[in-house]
């Protein structure tokens, strides 16, 4: 779902898809520059053509078109990384490693491991279940509550949903 959302957003507003795929600064910069170039071009052609010369308006629109195309290319490159099958394998390995660390009561090492997993894909259900469980074990109940709510939103099967609801009910206030 995140993949299609990124594509649709990036087509409508260049850079917005990159924000969805965790390239916030680059996406924001592209969106702002694209907007400025488009506005300059449109104002120069339609609203105040006497104030903004036709060469500036035209070059602004051409530059915004080139920026739009570059943004689509950047999104395609990012999608190759985010949607690669190797990433899913890496996430599984990180989850197994985090489980081992939690079993050995090395909670801070598990925390760092799951931070890496979340940086790869912050919408993976299994990573978020482990993240919420870890935060609960660490006594960070406010953050754990947020994490379990995220699991509820992301869960696609009844068991995971039920596990998250049960965990939320057991969390102290």
């Amino acid at each position: 779902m995140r993949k299609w959302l990124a594509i649709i957003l990036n087509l409508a507003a260049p850079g917005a898809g990159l924000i969805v795929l965790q390239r916030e600064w680059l996406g924001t910069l592209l969106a702002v520059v694209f907007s400025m170039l488009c506005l300059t071009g449109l104002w120069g052609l339609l609203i105040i053509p006497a104030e903004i010369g036709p060469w500036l308006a035209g070059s602004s629109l051409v530059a915004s078109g080139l920026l739009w195309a570059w943004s689509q290319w950047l999104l395609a490159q990012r999608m190759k990384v985010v949607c690669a099958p190797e990433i899913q394998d890496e996430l599984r390995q990180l989850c197994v490693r985090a489980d081992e660390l939690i079993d050995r009561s090395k909670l801070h090492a598990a925390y760092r491991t799951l931070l890496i997993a979340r940086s790869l894909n912050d919408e993976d259900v299994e990573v978020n279940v482990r993240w919420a469980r870890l935060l609960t074990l660490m006594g960070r109940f406010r953050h754990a509550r947020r994490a379990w709510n995220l699991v509820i939103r992301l869960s696609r099967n009844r068991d995971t949903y039920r596990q998250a609801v049960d965990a939320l009910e057991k969390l102290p206030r």
Side-chain angles (χ1 to χ4, degrees), residues 83 94 104 121 128:
C83 299
L94 287 168
R104 291 188 285 158
N121 186 353
N128 280 295

Side-chain angles (χ1 to χ4, degrees), residues 38 46 49 52 63 91-92 95 106 114 127 138 155 163 169:
C38 274
L46 304 173
I52 299 175
L91 283 174
R92 278 191 290 280
C95 286
K106 296 187 177 190
L114 288 174
V127 170
M138 295 176 84
S155 65
Q163 177 186 5
E169 290 172 356

Side-chain angles (χ1 to χ4, degrees), residues 111-130:
Y111 183 87
R112 289 190 301 272
T113 302
L114 288 174
L115 275 178
I116 294 168
R118 293 186 79 228
S119 72
L120 290 174
N121 186 353
D122 62 347
E123 291 186 352
D124 185 80
V125 177
E126 292 304 316
V127 170
N128 280 295
V129 166
R130 285 168 175 80

Side-chain angles (χ1 to χ4, degrees), residues 154-172:
L154 294 174
S155 65
R156 291 203 169 81
N157 68 46
R158 202 176 310 163
D159 294 335
T160 307
Y161 180 85
R162 190 74 231 148
Q163 177 186 5
V165 169
D166 291 343
L168 275 172
E169 290 172 356
K170 292 176 184 175
L171 281 178

Side-chain angles (χ1 to χ4, degrees), residues 5-170:
L5 177 65
I7 291 170
I8 292 168
L9 285 175
N10 211 61
L11 288 171
L18 291 168
I19 294 171
V20 172
L21 297 180
Q22 298 176 326
R23 288 292 180 256
E24 293 88 1
W25 287 104
L26 178 59
T28 302
L29 179 67
L30 285 170
V32 168
V33 172
F34 175 79
S35 298
M36 290 173 31
L37 288 169
C38 274
L39 285 175
T40 302
L42 292 175
W43 275 64
L45 288 178
L46 304 173
I47 298 175
I48 51 172
E51 299 293 322
I52 299 175
W55 63 271
L56 180 59
S59 60
S60 293
L61 290 175
V62 167
S64 68
L66 292 173
L67 192 66
W68 183 89
W70 187 50
S71 175
Q72 305 314 310
W73 181 81
L74 287 172
L75 181 73
Q77 298 305 309
R78 179 68 180 150
M79 296 280 271
K80 288 178 186 176
V81 172
V82 171
C83 299
E86 297 85 20
I87 295 294
Q88 292 305 315
D89 293 339
E90 188 68 30
L91 283 174
R92 278 191 290 280
Q93 291 174 5
L94 287 168
C95 286
V96 168
R97 175 81 175 132
D99 288 341
E100 292 169 355
L101 291 167
I102 290 170
D103 290 342
R104 291 188 285 158
S105 298
K106 296 187 177 190
L107 300 183
H108 290 290
Y111 183 87
R112 289 190 301 272
T113 302
L114 288 174
L115 275 178
I116 294 168
R118 293 186 79 228
S119 72
L120 290 174
N121 186 353
D122 62 347
E123 291 186 352
D124 185 80
V125 177
E126 292 304 316
V127 170
N128 280 295
V129 166
R130 285 168 175 80
W131 180 251
R133 196 177 305 141
L134 177 65
L135 291 173
T136 303
L137 287 171
M138 295 176 84
R140 298 181 180 182
F141 300 123
R142 187 172 49 108
H143 296 292
R145 187 173 308 285
R146 239 183 282 144
W148 283 117
N149 282 320
L150 179 60
V151 170
I152 288 171
R153 281 197 315 268
L154 294 174
S155 65
R156 291 203 169 81
N157 68 46
R158 202 176 310 163
D159 294 335
T160 307
Y161 180 85
R162 190 74 231 148
Q163 177 186 5
V165 169
D166 291 343
L168 275 172
E169 290 172 356
K170 292 176 184 175

